[in-house]
Amino acid sequence: MAQEDVASVVEKSVTFTAYKPQLIVESQRVGDAVAFYKAVFGAEETGHSLYPKRKADQELPHLVSAELNLAGTTVVVSDVSVNSNANKGSMPAILETDDVEAAVAKAVGAGAVNVEEEVEGGVKGKVTDPFGFTWIFVSPAKKSESDETKEV
Amino acid sequence: MAQEDVASVVEKSVTFTAYKPQLIVESQRVGDAVAFYKAVFGAEETGHSLYPKRKADQELPHLVSAELNLAGTTVVVSDVSVNSNANKGSMPAILETDDVEAAVAKAVGAGAVNVEEEVEGGVKGKVTDPFGFTWIFVSPAKKSESDETKEV
């Protein structure tokens, strides 16, 4: 990307339509965490992803991630093994936007560090801001209500 | 509290009316963080607390905490120096409930660890869950729209 293109992207207005804290849990404990948040906080599960069948042949099938409604906010509980560069116990925030590239450019222009960009079922960007928080930019989710299986 | 009282509290239904991620930032950087989140994410400030006047005589006045609307979610940016047992870059979650004591009892009954209980303008409870996340239970906020000053 040429220097002037970067500048125009930084100036661009970017709209964020949803904020979802992502709770990264130890491998194979998404189910336990979901049970805990349901029991203690009255959270309601609104969607989840499972490990693919071929893995379920060898071990009990389990969740890679689950989306919960917790006191009116959507919270994503996610297995650390499917989140590169994330530690268990960390809580990156997912921000949905129609323009991931512009969001990354704008954040970096203001002092954030681009941690990772990947294409995996859609454009995705990840930055760490000057205050130590990680933000993941994604296109709005369209797949949270089904038992989708996902290759990991 | 007698053993059977604890049991009855654990069984009690507890309602949580709001979830607010709290972003703990380095001392005296709440203002910078708020400016960043406004510029980059289009966040809107909905309230804040300032250091008290007597400190402002010696140094520039600055924010101890600010409440932002970020993509529809209320996010609290807070100075690490007024948050005991919290590290900068951490993100404890605030859950508002009318029954803080019951919330703590229920969480502890399900395996969370009671980190801290304090009375500071209202009952407050803090637990760490079995997955490494910290939850702060507070009575619903009634003071977020004014320039309230707070002793620290």
Side-chain angles (χ1 to χ4, degrees):
Chain A
M1 196 185 278
Q3 208 49 30
E4 59 188 28
D5 292 337
V6 173
S8 68
V9 166
V10 170
E11 292 310 315
K12 202 160 146 187
S13 170
V14 184
T15 305
F16 298 94
T17 49
Y19 173 105
K20 299 177 179 177
Q22 187 179 30
L23 282 59
I24 307 290
V25 302
E26 197 172 345
S27 192
Q28 306 196 18
R29 295 208 66 196
V30 171
D32 293 341
V34 167
F36 181 92
Y37 299 132
K38 281 181 178 173
V40 177
F41 300 143
E44 287 172 21
E45 191 174 326
T46 53
H48 63 253
S49 301
L50 296 171
Y51 275 105
K53 267 269 182 284
R54 63 183 171 76
K55 283 205 177 172
D57 291 343
Q58 296 150 303
E59 49 188 272
L60 284 174
H62 57 271
L63 299 165
V64 263
S65 77
E67 204 167 282
L68 304 176
N69 181 327
L70 204 168
T73 298
T74 300
V75 172
V76 179
V77 181
S78 191
D79 190 307
V80 68
S81 67
V82 297
N83 290 276
S84 54
N85 302 326
N87 298 317
K88 65 176 178 174
S90 69
M91 201 189 286
I94 297 169
L95 281 177
E96 290 183 0
T97 177
D98 280 325
D99 198 338
V100 170
E101 195 189 346
V104 171
K106 198 166 181 177
V108 170
V113 175
N114 195 345
V115 180
E116 175 191 327
E117 263 184 283
E118 54 180 67
V119 179
E120 184 196 291
V123 185
K124 187 171 147 185
K126 197 193 239 181
V127 302
T128 300
D129 73 26
F131 313 97
F133 301 99
T134 300
W135 304 84
I136 299 167
F137 304 122
V138 298
S139 312
K142 298 179 186 90
K143 53 176 187 181
S144 58
E145 71 289 331
S146 65
D147 280 12
E148 168 213 6
T149 58
K150 182 176 167 186
E151 293 291 323
V152 288
Chain B
M1 195 184 281
Q3 206 52 30
E4 58 189 26
D5 292 337
V6 173
S8 69
V9 168
V10 170
E11 292 309 316
K12 201 161 145 187
S13 170
V14 184
T15 304
F16 298 94
T17 49
Y19 172 105
K20 297 177 180 177
Q22 188 180 29
L23 281 59
I24 308 289
V25 301
E26 198 174 344
S27 191
Q28 306 194 21
R29 294 211 65 198
V30 170
D32 293 340
V34 167
F36 181 92
Y37 299 133
K38 282 181 178 173
V40 177
F41 300 144
E44 286 171 23
E45 192 174 326
T46 54
H48 63 252
S49 300
L50 296 171
Y51 276 105
K53 267 269 182 285
R54 62 181 171 79
K55 283 204 175 172
D57 291 343
Q58 295 151 304
E59 49 188 272
L60 283 175
H62 57 272
L63 299 165
V64 263
S65 75
E67 204 168 281
L68 304 177
N69 180 327
L70 204 170
T73 298
T74 300
V75 173
V76 179
V77 181
S78 190
D79 191 306
V80 68
S81 67
V82 297
N83 289 276
S84 55
N85 302 325
N87 298 316
K88 65 176 179 174
S90 69
M91 202 191 286
I94 298 169
L95 280 177
E96 290 184 359
T97 177
D98 280 325
D99 198 337
V100 170
E101 195 189 344
V104 171
K106 198 167 183 178
V108 170
V113 175
N114 195 345
V115 180
E116 175 190 329
E117 263 183 285
E118 55 181 68
V119 179
E120 185 197 291
V123 186
K124 186 171 148 185
K126 197 194 238 182
V127 302
T128 300
D129 75 25
F131 312 97
F133 301 99
T134 301
W135 303 85
I136 298 168
F137 304 122
V138 297
S139 313
K142 299 181 186 86
K143 53 176 186 179
S144 58
E145 70 291 328
S146 66
D147 280 12
E148 169 214 7
T149 58
K150 183 176 168 184
E151 292 294 323
V152 288

